[in-house]
């Protein structure tokens, strides 16, 4: 391994320092104290010079073996970011131009006892500009990001993390570095390069098969014969194959029959069963070269993307069947966890992904403007049951299709599919993010006579190249060319549909910042909602780390600088103003904190309304629309500390939205909506069996902790994996039944309870805007904290009904069992799960309690 210390120097040699590999220039400069935190205040702009320079990594190393004894020696880079010339002992081995590729250089004739290796980088920014200049055919838009993003241009001309040149939620840090492992490999006869496992279930035989694929580099001049033994002890399955490896690079595919008498436990997504995996050993005993033993975990699951006619509805369905069972997809969209990938540790991924499972999600879409995630990411998803919709890394742009570019992309796709296809968590490959829509809606104002060339490029890249490789290398998963897309309908229309947002086909992305987000009628009754969202600000403790006191106002230069979405801060104000009173505190810091709180309340409430709409639409068709089978809000996580659509802040702290998600994605949930003066309540269930439950509907007056009236409807059947109406009443009857109630003075809460302790979260429905609520009083909130085992118990007391009660312990890492809730009882117990050591005293000292009436 060549991990560890390298030397790093700037283009003209004026800056030189020791640097860690894997790593990048920015973090190397940071760790040596040569720059401040790149995320601090305006440093993203101050440090532009770093990515405009051309940096060189170098080191010397002794060869730890006798070179003469090995037929082949390779220098292997798992990831180079991005454009570089690689030299060993002053001999150029080759060049790199794709961050997502693996590069292997034959150094058999170049390696000595002591070696000097150099990786000479070229600025990604100048390379992209140069590629754009040299592109003689039609222009490839967009040239540059909107000014509000403070980014760099022509990112579509470089195979690099697309959001590293800036995005509407992230900064521009076009890094340079050796971002993954680098090593020397020496071998005789043969070497295993890729190894993958693909399970298949054959219905007619009622049997599982396992396809084991091995890709080798064979250096001997004649074929090598030998035996391969596959052993899965738990499944009483062992098989031996005789194989022959041909010279050069080639693959062998073995079909293993899983013992029929062994009971195979399938891999299920979170909330639908266990994630059983089996230990497997594969042994290669060849007549020449050494024996290779490969230990793996193998999982068994099937996936189908079902697109079929639906009775009573034009168009086609769009849903996933896992192990033969339709699964409602609940989750979010994943973006890179840091601008500097070397800072993304296993613990960080584990924490973020654990938060996904803890919020009752079962799926993440790995979005096409970031990176193909590291192996650990997918391993954790396999272990905890998070399904992955995997985009290829193309987003919100058109792309070139010249020969060099296509060759690079083909290598990238092939490498990534080989690397990732054994993961049961990955359920779909998707060609790009929004590029079908970009052409169909003509985002880039291409004159109509010229559009044909761009359509041809589109089909060339995503269909004739990417799709072709995916289908030849992985027959176990569905592929869609884009998101949003009309699925099979897009295919029928030549891969570019007239309207990729059509609710009758495929998936949709939906954003609307001008309508009232509490009004469910503005949302599309789509087959599958793969992106939708609203922005909010991260909590004060997160912002504080990268700002100074003069920044702490909603209208400061800093607040404007961090907002990369045009008009975003004003849009949040407008959404808040519809239902809440804006803060008026004379104390500017208090006013800023109140604003942050309100943006989080607004975001959580908006996405709650929208997600509940998608969930209650799963079993019905209304005016030809419905059967919604997926809700992935935009976005899960943050790349830095800034206003964004995320529910998890940079560092992993839960925003109110994430706490709300835990409830609106609960496996059992009553959902209410109002239509023409009627209150409808649906029972939504992800359980595999029906349940007989009691629906409790409680009406409270804002002015009293005692309920005005309570109704218990017994023997309510909530059907397995469906959303069906369980209660309806006109609002006027309800108000009359609960004497002295008006829309402004009362609120409805409801939950489902079963005999066996089964209980849904308590949901609520506001009968009016909270700014118009009558009888809401400022409450005295208090909390006591005590330690219990590895957790802390917060006992909250209130003197009046309190909406959106929020506990915040500042920078102490951890999460609560519930937050941002409506408190309708004197006392509530909330558990704090710490992610680092803390104490009851420290928590009590750091605790801030806020409810809506604390905003003045």
């Amino acid at each position: 391994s060549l991990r560890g210390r390298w030397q790093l120097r700037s283009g003209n040699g004026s800056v030189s320092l020791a640097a860690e590999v894997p790593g990048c220039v920015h973090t190397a400069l940071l760790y040596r104290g040569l720059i401040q935190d790149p995320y601090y205040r305006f440093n993203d702009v101050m440090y532009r010079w770093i990515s405009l320079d051309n940096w060189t990594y170098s080191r010397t190393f002794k060869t730890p073996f006798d070179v003469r004894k090995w037929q082949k020696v390779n220098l292997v880079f798992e990831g180079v970011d991005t454009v570089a010339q690689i030299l060993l002992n002053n001999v150029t081995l080759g060049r790199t131009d794709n961050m997502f590729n693996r590069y292997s250089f034959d150094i058999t004739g170049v390696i000595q006892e002591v070696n000097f290796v150099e990786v000479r980088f070229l600025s990604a920014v100048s390379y992209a500009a140069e590629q754009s200049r040299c592109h003689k055919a039609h222009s490839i838009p967009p040239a540059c990001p909107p000014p509000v993003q403070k980014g760099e241009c022509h990112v579509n001309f470089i195979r690099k993390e697309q959001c590293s040149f800036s995005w509407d939620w992230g900064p521009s840090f076009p890094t340079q570095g050796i971002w993954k492992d680098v090593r020397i490999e020496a071998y005789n006869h043969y070497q295993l390069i890729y190894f993958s496992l693909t399970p298949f279930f054959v219905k007619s035989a009622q049997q599982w098969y396992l396809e084991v694929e091995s890709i080798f580099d064979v250096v001997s001049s004649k074929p090598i014969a030998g035996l391969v033994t596959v052993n899965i002890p738990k499944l009483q399955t062992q098989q031996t194959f005789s194989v022959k490896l041909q010279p050069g690079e080639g693959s062998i595919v073995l079909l293993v029959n899983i013992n029929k008498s062994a009971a195979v436990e399938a891999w299920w997504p979170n909330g639908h069963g266990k994630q059983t995996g089996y230990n497997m050993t594969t042994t290669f005993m060849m007549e020449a070269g050494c024996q290779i033993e490969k230990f793996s975990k193998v999982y068994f699951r099937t996936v189908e993307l079902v697109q079929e006619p639906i009775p009573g509805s034009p168009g086609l369905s769009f849903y996933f069947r896992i192990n033969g069972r339709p699964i409602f997809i609940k989750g979010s969209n994943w973006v890179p966890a840091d601008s500097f990938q070397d800072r993304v540790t296993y613990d960080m991924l584990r924490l973020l992904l654990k938060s996904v499972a803890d919020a009752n999600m079962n799926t993440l879409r790995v979005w096409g403007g970031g990176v193909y995630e590291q192996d650990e990411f997918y391993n954790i998803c396999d272990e905890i049951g998070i399904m992955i919709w995997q985009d290829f890394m193309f987003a919100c742009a058109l792309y070139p299709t010249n020969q060099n570019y296509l060759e690079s992309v083909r290598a990238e796709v092939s490498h990534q599919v080989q690397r990732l296809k054994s993961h049961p968590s990955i359920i779909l490959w998707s060609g790009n993010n929004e590029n079908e829509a970009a052409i169909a809606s003509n985002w880039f104002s291409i004159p109509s006579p010229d559009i044909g060339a761009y359509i041809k490029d589109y089909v060339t890249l995503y269909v004739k190249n990417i799709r072709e490789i995916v289908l030849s290398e992985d027959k176990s998963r569905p592929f869609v060319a884009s998101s949003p897309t009309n699925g099979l309908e897009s295919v029928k229309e030549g891969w570019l549909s007239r309207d990729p947002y059509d609710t009758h086909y495929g998936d949709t992305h939906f954003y609307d910042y001008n309508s009232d987000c509490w009004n469910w009628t503005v949302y599309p009754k789509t087959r599958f909602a793969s992106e939708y969202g609203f922005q909010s600000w991260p909590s004060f403790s997160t912002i504080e780390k990268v700002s100074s006191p003069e920044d702490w106002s909603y209208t400061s230069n800093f607040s404007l600088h961090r907002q990369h979405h045009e008009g975003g801060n004003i849009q949040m104000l407008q959404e808040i103003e519809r239902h809440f009173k804006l803060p008026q505190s004379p104390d500017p810091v208090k006013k800023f904190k109140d604003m942050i709180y309100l943006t989080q309340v607004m975001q959580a409430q908006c996405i709650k309304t929208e997600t509940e709409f998608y969930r209650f639409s799963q079993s019905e068709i209304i005016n030809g629309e419905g059967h919604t089978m997926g809700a992935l809000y935009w976005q899960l996580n943050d790349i830095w500390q800034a206003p964004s659509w995320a529910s998890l802040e940079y560092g992993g702290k839960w925003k109110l939205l994430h706490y709300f998600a835990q409830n609106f994605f609960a496996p059992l949930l009553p959902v209410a909506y109002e239509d023409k003066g009627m209150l409808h309540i649906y029972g939504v269930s992800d359980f595999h069996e029906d349940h007989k439950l009691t629906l409790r509907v409680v009406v409270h007056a804002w002015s009293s902790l005692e309920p005005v009236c309570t109704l218990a409807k017994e023997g309510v059947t909530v059907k397995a994996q469906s959303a069906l109406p369980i209660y309806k009443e006109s609002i006027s009857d309800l108000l009359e039944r609960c004497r002295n109630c008006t829309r402004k003075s009362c609120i409805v809460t409801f939950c489902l309870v079963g005999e066996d302790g089964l209980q849904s979260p308590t949901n609520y429905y506001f009968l009016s805007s909270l700014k118009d609520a009558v009888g809401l009083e400022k409450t005295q909130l208090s909390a006591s904290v005590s330690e219990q085992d590895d957790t802390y118990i917060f006992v909250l007391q209130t003197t009046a009904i309190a909406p959106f009660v929020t506990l915040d312990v500042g920078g102490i890492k951890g999460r609560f069992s519930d937050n941002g809730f409506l408190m309708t009882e004197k006392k509530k117990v909330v558990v704090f799960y710490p992610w680092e050591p803390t104490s009851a005293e420290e928590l009590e000292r750091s605790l801030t309690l806020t409810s809506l009436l604390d905003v003045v």
Side-chain angles (χ1 to χ4, degrees), residues 61-188:
F61 66 93
K62 283 199 175 85
T63 306
F65 49 82
D66 183 348
V67 178
R68 291 165 306 191
K69 289 192 173 145
W70 299 93
Q71 283 171 298
K72 190 160 185 190
V73 185
N74 290 334
L75 171 59
V76 180
F77 290 89
E78 287 296 335
V80 180
D81 175 18
T82 292
V83 184
Q85 181 185 3
I86 317 282
L87 298 94
L88 183 64
N89 302 327
N90 294 324
V91 176
T92 298
L93 302 175
R95 293 173 192 277
T96 66
D97 61 5
N98 188 326
M99 173 182 184
F100 308 122
N101 224 328
R102 178 176 183 272
Y103 288 94
S104 180
F105 301 102
D106 184 344
I107 55 169
T108 317
V110 186
I111 193 166
Q112 298 162 6
E113 269 177 50
V114 178
N115 302 277
F116 179 61
V117 59
E118 261 186 310
V119 180
R120 294 182 189 163
F121 282 97
L122 189 61
S123 158
V125 177
S126 36
Y127 172 84
E130 181 59 23
Q131 291 299 302
S132 165
R133 255 200 312 281
C134 298
H135 191 265
K136 289 291 178 273
H138 45 280
S139 67
I140 308 284
C144 299
V148 66
Q149 288 179 203
K150 305 159 201 59
E152 303 292 354
C153 301
H154 304 297
V155 71
N156 43 352
F157 277 93
I158 181 168
R159 290 312 296 144
K160 176 176 173 60
E161 177 185 7
Q162 297 290 280
C163 66
S164 66
F165 277 40
S166 83
W167 214 262
D168 56 7
W169 37 256
S172 173
F173 284 112
T175 43
Q176 291 172 42
I178 301 167
W179 74 293
K180 292 194 171 211
D181 203 25
V182 51
R183 63 182 181 272
I184 304 289
E185 285 178 353
Y187 48 97
N188 290 329

Side-chain angles (χ1 to χ4, degrees), residues 444-458:
F444 307 121
S445 312
I446 295 160
S448 50
D450 305 344
I451 210 97
Y454 294 95
I455 292 175
K456 185 167 176 280
D457 280 355
Y458 181 92

Side-chain angles (χ1 to χ4, degrees), residues 31 44 87 114 138 294 363 374 389 663 670 693 707 758:
Y31 298 150
D44 55 320
L87 298 94
V114 178
H138 45 280
K294 195 90 186 139
T363 306
Q374 40 187 298
W389 169 316
N663 289 333
L693 305 165
L758 180 65

Side-chain angles (χ1 to χ4, degrees), residues 585-626:
S585 172
D587 171 356
V589 177
K590 161 95 169 87
K591 190 173 173 184
F592 184 48
K593 288 178 176 174
D594 284 349
M595 272 310 306
I596 290 172
Y597 166 77
L598 282 178
T599 65
Q600 290 206 17
V601 165
M602 176 275 298
Q603 176 196 37
Q605 186 63 28
C606 289
I607 293 184
K608 168 188 192 287
T609 309
E610 188 165 356
T611 307
E612 288 181 350
F613 168 72
Y614 296 137
R615 284 192 80 188
F616 82 65
S617 299
Q618 68 182 274
S619 305
E620 64 187 14
I621 293 290
I622 292 180
N623 301 330
E625 294 182 316

